[in-house]
Each structure stands twice: as structure tokens, then as C-alpha cells.
Amino acid sequence: MNIRTRLTLLFVMLVASILLLFSVTIYYLYDQFRAQEFEQRLEEKALTTARFWENVSQALPDDLPAMANEQVTIYDEQGRILYNSNKLLARFPLPSGFIRSVLQKHTQTAHLGDIEAIGVSHSNRQGDKLVIVASAFDRYGFSKLKRLREILFFGWLLCLAITGISGYLFANDALRPVSEIVAQVNTISATNIHQRLRVGRQRDELAYLARTFNDMLTRLEEAFISQKSFVSHASHELRTPLTVMMGQIEVTLLQPRSQADYEAALDGLLDEVKSMIRLVNGLLELARASADATTLNYQPVRIDELLWQAQSHIIQRKPQYEIDIDFENLPAQEEDLVIIAEESLLLTALQNLMENGCKYSPDERVTVRILFESGQVNLIISDNGYGIPRADLPHIFEPFFRSSSTMTVSGHGIGLALTRRIIELHHGQIVVESEVGRGTTFRISLPTQQQTPANRVTSFSSDRERLAGFNH
């Protein structure tokens, strides 16, 4: 059963229940009113008959208004019949103790099928107590009640039909935007993922749903574009060394070569293989940094030890590089040096920044300054290198992007993208300042372990959603 039909049925059932309750209430109240009115008429008839009987000595006029099956009987206190107005009808059978009850309460009612009776106590001129019992069938009252019942029943059915039609139209109108959304969603695919949903009503819940869906499409589009860009650049970067290697091998095999020529060719191939290995390792690190944050092993780490470790690894590979680490200020207590981090990933990020600073500087030198503040540690990594053009600054953290000023230096454009992912994974921030010909400065801020574990767990969970869009 679809929502439109379900809403229509629920609407009809609700209105039907309300109308039924209203009709039953009206019918019940009118029936009570009819019974009270008829009892008053019977009481008036009983008293009128008793007065005439006293005044005319049992000779009652025949032109008194009569009711259907009317019968008036007068009893004395002992229950003896003194007068019966209609001897052709069987006397109304009185319940046990009825006369005594009438004498005590003045009036008492009784029913026998559709025949209704009322007993009224009355004192005659001699002071004797009499009981007048008047009974009759309320022909007109029951006729009106039956007519009212028919009107209410058929009116209820008519209202149900009208309610069903109006409910269907109402549900159809209310769900029309849903049908429009479904139709629009069915037209969106990978070829037109830029398309967005349009909703006529801008202030209802469906409009909010459409805006939420559009936001999701925007995130998907960004992830899709990023994925395509990643695959395209990765394919290009991997194809270039493979093409070079294939060309070297083909040229080498064109004619016999000397041992020195073969060694030179193999050295060239080895350099290309190393370049491919660095590229693949970078891709693996990038994928790892973009993975589920809950799978990473976060542990307390001293930031100073991590910096010395990164410096040592770089100097071992490139002894000509110079990396100076200076403390702007010392923390008040040793715990301020500790951050919660995934050690290997953060080490990779720091190495990338230090190595880039040396690689893109003519003097192959970089300076790292550490500044401690309440609840966070700031790292300032500066070099005197080529600098980055202002137009390239917004794109330097994109995978495989390389600034025009650094195209002469070997690289793949993965390091900074990986670094930013790692810094974000540790709830930090990274900003860059650069001027062509005067060098580049990266500023990193990381929270210390003063952050509560509960907050870290919440933040790591949010990273899972935030970095999922870059999971390659």
C-alpha cells in the first residue's frame, strides 16, 4: 500500500470516527429529550384524567387528546383499581412495589417494550392518596427518532464519500512534491551529477529534504570529481615513468651495447623504478590518511621527539640538508609537549614539510620553530626557497597539483595533500604564506593532550565522515 492510499484511508477513518461519534451523541441526546418530553405528556395526561374523574364522577369526556395505545388507571393506596380509561387494552402490568415507590417518590417510570408508563401520586379532596398510572406508545416521537436515525446514517455515508474524495485529493496534493522529487532523482546519474532538485514550495519539510539531498549531491559531486582527478593524475604519473622505462629498454635493445652502456641503461631504469615506488608509497599513505579514523592507533606522543625523529630520518637520506629546530618558548610543564597522535602518519607529515622546504630552497635549509600556547602547540616551518605564486596558493593542497615555480624539481604533488589530510585527522590546522623569490612558511597548530578523551572520540568519529569523501 502506497503512502497516498494509506493517508487517504487514515484520513477517512479519522473523519468517519468523529462523524460517527457526533451522530451517536446527537441520536442519544434526542432520544433522551423525546423520553423526557413524553414522560411530561404522560404525567399531564394522568393528572388531567384524575381531576376530571373527581369532578364528573367517572364520566370523562371523549374529546380529550389521546395518544396511541393510551391507558390511564387510577389506584388507591392498597393497589385497588378505581378507574381504567381503556378497558379494551390489557392493563399495563405494574412492577412489584411500583405503587409503594410512587407514593414515596411522587413519580415513577416503567417500560414494557415500546409502551412507556409513568406513575404519579395524587391526593383527592378527601385527602386520600391515589396513584395514577398513564401508559402509551410514543408513535410520533419514535417516528421522528427513526427519521433522525436515517438522516444521520445516510448523512454519515455521504460524508464518508466526500471525505474519501477530498482525502485522496489532499494526499495527492501533499505528495505531489515527493513524486516530483522521485522523478528528478531518477534522472540524476554520473553524467549529470551537477543537476540539483527543484521544489516549488520553499518552506515545508519536503523543501528541507530536497535541500538536504542537494547538499548530499554536492558532496558526492566533489568526491566524484576528486576521484576522477585522482585516477587521472595517478594514471598519468604512473604512465610517465613506465613510458620512459619502455623507451630506454627499446633503445638499448636496438643494437648490441657495451657493458658500460648496459649499466647506464640499468641505472636509468633503477631511478625510474625508485620514482614509481615513491609515488606508490605516497598514494598508499594518502589512502591510509583518508581511511576510517577509528582504525588508526592514536597514542600520546611528545611533539619535540617527533620533530627530532623527522629531522634524523631526512638527514640520513639527504646529509646535505640543514634543518634547524628552535623553541620559541618552553612549556610550563612537560605534559604540554604531549599530543594524541598516530605517530607514523604525523611523522610523515612533518617529514614532507621539512623535506619540501629543503628541496625547493637553493640553500637546502629549513627552520622549524615551536611555540606553546594553552591547549595547543604551534609549528612554524620556514624556508628561503623559490616561493609559490599567489594564484597557486589555493590549490597547493590538491593531490598531484604542482606550482609553476617548482616544475623543474622532481616530485609528484602528493606530499602537501597528504600532509593536510594528516593534520586535519589530528584536529589541527595548517595555513601557508608564501612570496615568490622569498620563501614559504607553513603554520601548523595541534591540540595537546589536555583535550578530554570523550572529545577526541567524538572528533575522530566526525573525521570518519569528513575524510570519507577522499577515500581512494
Side-chain angles (χ1 to χ4, degrees):
M1 183 183 297
N2 56 34
I3 296 179
R4 183 181 292 104
T5 304
R6 188 160 59 249
L7 283 178
T8 302
L9 291 178
L10 289 175
F11 184 68
V12 170
M13 291 175 61
L14 176 62
V15 175
S17 300
I18 295 175
L19 288 177
L20 182 61
L21 179 61
F22 175 77
S23 300
V24 170
T25 303
I26 292 296
Y27 182 81
Y28 174 78
L29 292 177
Y30 182 78
D31 184 50
Q32 295 297 311
F33 170 75
R34 181 210 61 81
Q36 291 176 3
E37 184 186 34
F38 191 62
E39 287 175 2
Q40 290 177 359
R41 291 171 57 193
L42 288 175
E43 184 176 358
E44 292 174 359
K45 183 68 175 180
L47 294 176
T48 301
T49 301
R51 293 191 189 99
F52 270 101
W53 177 72
E54 285 184 295
N55 293 331
V56 300
S57 301
Q58 301 183 358
L60 300 179
D62 296 330
D63 57 352
L64 287 177
M67 296 175 283
N69 297 333
E70 177 187 304
Q71 187 178 55
V72 179
T73 306
I74 300 176
Y75 298 88
D76 60 12
E77 292 184 82
Q78 287 71 35
R80 294 189 295 267
I81 297 176
L82 303 178
Y83 171 78
N84 189 1
S85 65
N86 193 344
K87 297 181 174 59
L88 298 178
L89 293 176
R91 185 171 54 84
F92 185 86
L94 298 180
S96 176
F98 184 79
I99 293 179
R100 184 172 56 256
S101 178
V102 172
L103 292 173
Q104 292 175 355
K105 299 180 180 179
H106 184 68
T107 60
Q108 185 71 24
T109 59
H111 299 269
L112 180 63
D114 291 334
I115 303 298
E116 300 175 65
I118 185 170
V120 181
S121 65
H122 176 70
S123 299
N124 59 15
R125 294 174 182 176
Q126 291 77 26
D128 298 330
K129 288 286 187 178
L130 302 178
V131 174
I132 304 101
V133 177
S135 62
F137 171 65
D138 190 7
R139 177 186 302 168
Y140 298 106
F142 280 114
S143 176
K144 294 177 182 178
L145 194 63
K146 178 182 178 182
R147 184 59 178 167
L148 176 63
R149 184 167 60 244
E150 293 174 353
I151 292 174
L152 292 175
F153 177 74
F154 289 107
W156 181 71
L157 292 180
L158 179 61
C159 289
L160 285 188
I162 296 175
T163 301
I165 296 173
S166 60
Y168 179 82
L169 295 177
F170 169 77
N172 190 57
D173 179 71
L175 295 176
R176 184 180 295 113
V178 177
S179 301
E180 294 175 356
I181 290 176
V182 171
Q184 294 180 55
V185 169
N186 287 331
T187 63
I188 299 177
S189 62
T191 57
N192 62 341
I193 197 171
H194 60 276
Q195 185 175 334
R196 295 296 180 266
L197 301 181
R198 302 178 305 278
V199 179
R201 303 166 183 168
Q202 299 298 324
R203 296 182 179 275
D204 58 9
E205 289 77 3
L206 292 178
Y208 177 75
L209 174 63
R211 288 193 296 269
T212 303
F213 194 85
N214 286 336
D215 293 340
M216 182 190 70
L217 285 177
T218 300
R219 295 192 297 270
L220 289 177
E221 183 181 10
E222 293 174 354
F224 188 73
I225 294 174
S226 178
Q227 183 82 12
K228 290 178 63 177
S229 175
F230 182 87
V231 173
S232 175
H233 285 88
S235 300
H236 175 75
E237 294 292 337
L238 289 172
R239 183 176 59 185
T240 299
L242 289 175
T243 302
V244 173
M245 292 170 64
M246 184 176 67
Q248 289 180 346
I249 294 173
E250 289 177 346
V251 171
T252 303
L253 295 177
L254 286 177
Q255 59 183 7
R257 306 282 180 176
S258 64
Q259 182 176 354
D261 292 334
Y262 283 122
E263 290 178 353
L266 291 175
D267 287 339
L269 292 175
L270 181 60
D271 290 339
E272 294 298 331
V273 170
K274 290 180 179 179
S275 177
M276 289 182 63
I277 291 175
R278 287 194 297 270
L279 174 60
V280 172
N281 287 337
L283 293 175
L284 291 175
E285 289 290 342
L286 187 59
R288 185 182 174 214
S290 302
D292 188 352
T294 59
T295 63
L296 302 178
N297 183 26
Y298 290 92
Q299 298 291 336
V301 178
R302 284 180 58 119
I303 188 64
D304 56 339
E305 294 180 355
L306 206 61
L307 288 171
W308 297 117
Q309 189 177 354
Q311 179 196 47
S312 175
H313 289 174
I314 296 173
I315 298 300
Q316 287 179 2
R317 295 196 307 269
K318 302 286 185 177
Q320 70 275 19
Y321 286 174
E322 294 184 27
I323 302 174
D324 299 327
I325 301 177
D326 298 325
F327 286 83
E328 289 274 330
N329 64 334
L330 292 176
Q333 51 188 1
E334 188 174 346
E335 288 75 10
D336 292 336
L337 291 167
V338 179
I339 63 174
I340 303 299
E342 211 292 340
E343 183 173 356
S344 60
L345 282 181
L346 192 55
L347 181 62
T348 299
L350 296 177
Q351 288 182 172
N352 285 340
L353 292 176
M354 293 180 184
E355 191 168 4
N356 282 350
C358 294
K359 182 167 61 173
Y360 296 113
S361 299
D363 58 359
E364 297 184 333
R365 181 176 180 178
V366 69
T367 300
V368 181
R369 289 179 294 163
I370 309 175
L371 177 63
F372 294 95
E373 296 181 3
S374 177
Q376 70 177 22
V377 57
N378 299 316
L379 304 178
I380 304 174
I381 302 176
S382 306
D383 62 61
N384 299 312
Y386 307 114
I388 303 172
R390 184 179 300 273
D392 293 341
L393 284 177
H395 307 287
I396 63 171
F397 293 113
E398 297 176 3
F400 301 104
F401 177 83
R402 300 195 67 199
S403 175
S404 57
S405 62
T406 60
M407 296 301 293
T408 57
V409 182
S410 63
H412 302 288
I414 296 179
L416 288 181
L418 173 61
T419 298
R420 186 179 69 171
R421 296 300 184 275
I422 294 174
I423 297 301
E424 290 177 347
L425 195 64
H426 290 79
H427 322 297
Q429 294 181 343
I430 180 171
V431 295
V432 58
E433 301 172 0
S434 185
E435 185 176 347
V436 176
R438 301 191 63 177
T440 303
T441 298
F442 288 91
R443 300 179 183 274
I444 301 173
S445 62
L446 294 169
T448 62
Q449 71 170 357
Q450 293 177 0
Q451 185 181 14
T452 62
N455 291 336
R456 290 198 297 271
V457 171
T458 303
S459 301
F460 293 157
S461 299
S462 64
D463 281 331
R464 176 180 181 179
E465 301 173 357
R466 181 157 48 90
L467 296 179
F470 203 84
N471 191 355
H472 305 296

